[in-house]
Amino acid sequence: MPGKTALALFCLSGVPEGGIPLPKDMEEEFPRKTNNIGDHLANERTFLAWIRTSIGIMGFGFVVVKFSLFIRQISIALGTRATVHQTGNSQKIGILLVALGAMTIIFAFMRYQKTRVQLEKGGYYHSTLFIKIITVAIFLFSILLLIYLMRTT
């Protein structure tokens, strides 16, 4: 019911801890231990952005692995002969990119949980370790891809 949500938001916004008691049936639905709802929502948006990034990285890895198969299939469908350089490294690079995407999801979840706990305790301590790890990993994969492309073209 709409009044229930409005009452809960009123009780959670700007009212000191223990200011207005919530009815018993609403306490579980709207926990009181929330310092700033906007901070928690920003934490969730950041987590979802990292999830989208990881899906993109895994999708790119999948494309790298399957691209030579696609070229062969399209050449058969068109009745032409396409030459595909086979070095065997595209599979390894693609699998590593999929693994990097999976690691990104795991690290994003760990960071989300850590930030959530810090916000619930009333403080936030920024850490750039996750961003540094992902940046270095993507940079190394970019260098590997550049080396691979230079050797195969």
Side-chain angles (χ1 to χ4, degrees), residues 39-97:
D39 291 339
H40 287 280
L41 292 174
N43 187 30
E44 288 181 15
R45 284 190 303 271
T46 303
F47 174 67
L48 292 174
W50 279 112
I51 294 296
R52 286 189 302 272
T53 301
S54 67
I55 290 171
I57 293 169
M58 289 188 290
F60 181 61
F62 182 81
V63 167
V64 168
V65 169
K66 297 297 181 182
F67 190 69
S68 64
L69 174 65
F70 171 74
I71 295 295
R72 280 184 292 206
Q73 293 296 323
I74 201 75
S75 68
I76 290 170
L78 295 175
T80 61
R81 184 157 178 91
T83 57
V84 179
H85 299 287
Q86 295 288 332
T87 61
N89 291 330
S90 62
Q91 263 192 333
K92 295 172 189 170
I93 292 171
I95 290 170
L96 287 174
L97 285 169

Side-chain angles (χ1 to χ4, degrees), residues 47 50-51 54 99-114 129-131 133-134 137:
F47 174 67
W50 279 112
I51 294 296
S54 67
L100 176 64
M103 287 180 5
T104 303
I105 290 175
I106 291 169
F107 287 134
F109 181 73
M110 290 170 41
R111 182 174 175 138
Y112 168 77
Q113 289 293 353
K114 182 179 177 182
L129 180 63
F130 175 63
I131 294 170
I133 290 171
I134 295 299

